Amino acid sequence: MKKLLALLLALTIALSLAACGGSGNNGSGNQTDNTNAANDAADNEADRTPEEDQANSPAEEPETPENEEPAPEDGAGQETGDGEDTEASGDADAPEAEGVGASHSDVTFSAAGSSFRLVPTGDTENVTAVAYTTADETIAAVGEDGTVTAVAPGTTTVTMTLTEGGETFSFNCIIRCSWQETSEEAPAESETGGTEDSGETAAQSLADFYAGLQENYDGLGMMTAYEGELLDNYYPGLSDIAVEEILIQETAMTMANSAVALVHVTDSADVETVKSILAARAQTQADGGAWYPASCETWANAVIVAEGNYVGMFVYPEGAQDMADTFTAAYGG
């Protein structure tokens, strides 16, 4: 019996050892397989070319250097053929004169010899030099003091250059000489051999009359001509009337506005219409359009007169009536 139990125990131990040996072989086999796979992967990694590595790697976006600026849009910042930057002169980064401007930007002359002064305006305390040039002196001449004089029909530009704080700034004023040249003809001879004389003297041109006012009243040399769109906006209907000559000048917004409006109508029937248009402008300004109390009062005291086909409006502190009297003397019958 004891022998039988010993035999069974030996058999059980043998079977257990056989089972453990099988498991150990399977584990070794798996380990061997994993090792072989790792070796194969390493061999494949070593055998791949750089081109294959690049093809198999994920695409990456190129990085933009921190200091590199983006490319300009089409046409931005490009230069013209002469090397000048195409950036507009009105760009916000362009230097501007501090608190300084020009008295005029667009002036129309109606006769040769008429003139006005182009001067700096605003805070001119730091302005150290002022110079003037004209683009075409055969149309308009300019003196060292800024006096612009009409020469012949045409359009040109007068430039005022000033120095402020060590920098130079330029202001352009368009000059329009709008009259027509007329040839002078000798007086016709009468049958008796003398020359015919109608007995009538040609009236003074409105431009010459205004030039006379400029010489006698301060501030009239710093006026703005009202024509085109400006005329239509502030004197609606006036451009629809047939005229021989028209000259309307107003100062910019100041504490005491001034204005001179001179109109020579073709048809005397239009005189009252012109007077009503001028009166409407004066009333608008007097009712608050001139902003400042002194300016509104000056417009309220505007004087409007008519002599024949000539109509005049005068807005000037304490001098409007004197101007009107001068007008009446010049164009009265």
Side-chain angles (χ1 to χ4, degrees), residues 281-307:
R281 169 61 175 167
Q283 190 62 51
T284 297
Q285 293 295 87
D287 289 343
W291 289 90
Y292 301 106
S295 298
C296 293
E297 183 178 356
T298 299
W299 277 94
N301 295 324
V303 179
I304 300 174
V305 294
E307 290 293 338

Side-chain angles (χ1 to χ4, degrees), residues 3-80:
K3 290 181 180 181
L4 180 59
L5 292 173
L7 180 60
L8 290 174
L9 180 60
L11 181 59
T12 301
I13 293 172
L15 291 174
S16 297
L17 292 174
C20 292
S23 298
N25 290 337
N26 288 339
S28 300
N30 290 337
Q31 183 176 3
T32 302
D33 291 340
N34 292 335
T35 302
N36 291 337
N39 291 336
D40 291 341
D43 292 340
N44 291 336
E45 182 72 20
D47 292 339
R48 282 204 304 267
T49 64
E51 290 76 7
E52 292 174 336
D53 288 338
Q54 182 176 1
N56 294 329
S57 61
E60 296 182 359
E61 296 183 0
E63 295 184 359
T64 302
E66 295 182 358
N67 296 330
E68 182 176 342
E69 295 182 358
E73 298 179 1
D74 293 342
Q78 296 180 357
E79 295 186 351
T80 60

Side-chain angles (χ1 to χ4, degrees), residues 17-289:
L17 292 174
C20 292
S23 298
N25 290 337
N26 288 339
S28 300
N30 290 337
Q31 183 176 3
T32 302
D33 291 340
N34 292 335
T35 302
N36 291 337
N39 291 336
D40 291 341
D43 292 340
N44 291 336
E45 182 72 20
D47 292 339
R48 282 204 304 267
T49 64
E51 290 76 7
E52 292 174 336
D53 288 338
Q54 182 176 1
N56 294 329
S57 61
E60 296 182 359
E61 296 183 0
E63 295 184 359
T64 302
E66 295 182 358
N67 296 330
E68 182 176 342
E69 295 182 358
E73 298 179 1
D74 293 342
Q78 296 180 357
E79 295 186 351
T80 60
D82 57 5
E84 295 181 354
D85 198 320
T86 58
E87 182 178 332
S89 60
D91 186 81
D93 294 334
E96 297 181 356
E98 186 67 26
V100 181
S103 58
H104 299 73
S105 61
D106 195 322
V107 175
T108 299
F109 285 121
S110 300
S114 299
S115 64
F116 75 98
R117 283 193 67 197
L118 178 63
V119 296
T121 59
D123 185 6
T124 60
E125 182 179 354
N126 296 324
V127 175
T128 56
V130 182
Y132 300 90
T133 57
T134 177
D136 191 341
E137 61 183 8
T138 64
I139 296 176
V142 61
E144 294 182 356
D145 64 346
T147 299
V148 181
T149 304
V151 177
T155 300
T156 188
T157 299
V158 170
T159 300
M160 178 181 69
T161 302
L162 59 86
T163 301
E164 180 190 40
E167 292 189 83
T168 300
F169 306 92
S170 295
F171 299 88
N172 291 330
C173 179
I174 300 174
I175 305 299
R176 309 174 193 272
C177 297
S178 62
W179 70 91
Q180 295 182 353
E181 294 281 16
T182 57
S183 58
E184 296 182 359
E185 298 180 357
E189 292 187 1
S190 65
E191 294 180 358
T192 59
T195 57
E196 294 180 352
D197 186 359
S198 62
E200 297 180 359
T201 302
Q204 183 183 25
S205 72
L206 297 180
D208 289 341
F209 176 80
Y210 180 70
L213 292 180
Q214 288 180 308
E215 294 177 359
N216 295 294
Y217 294 89
D218 294 335
L220 297 188
M222 305 181 63
M223 308 274 272
T224 297
Y226 277 46
E227 60 180 9
E229 184 175 338
L230 198 62
L231 180 67
D232 293 337
N233 288 340
Y234 294 98
Y235 294 86
L238 193 54
S239 61
D240 297 331
I241 298 175
V243 299
E244 298 297 322
E245 189 179 2
I246 183 171
L247 189 154
I248 296 181
Q249 302 269 344
E250 289 189 17
T251 57
M253 183 65 69
T254 63
M255 290 299 293
N257 278 7
S258 300
V260 174
L262 306 172
V263 184
H264 179 192
V265 298
T266 302
D267 188 348
S268 60
D270 292 324
V271 168
E272 291 303 317
T273 301
V274 172
K275 289 174 64 178
S276 65
I277 292 174
L278 300 182
R281 169 61 175 167
Q283 190 62 51
T284 297
Q285 293 295 87
D287 289 343

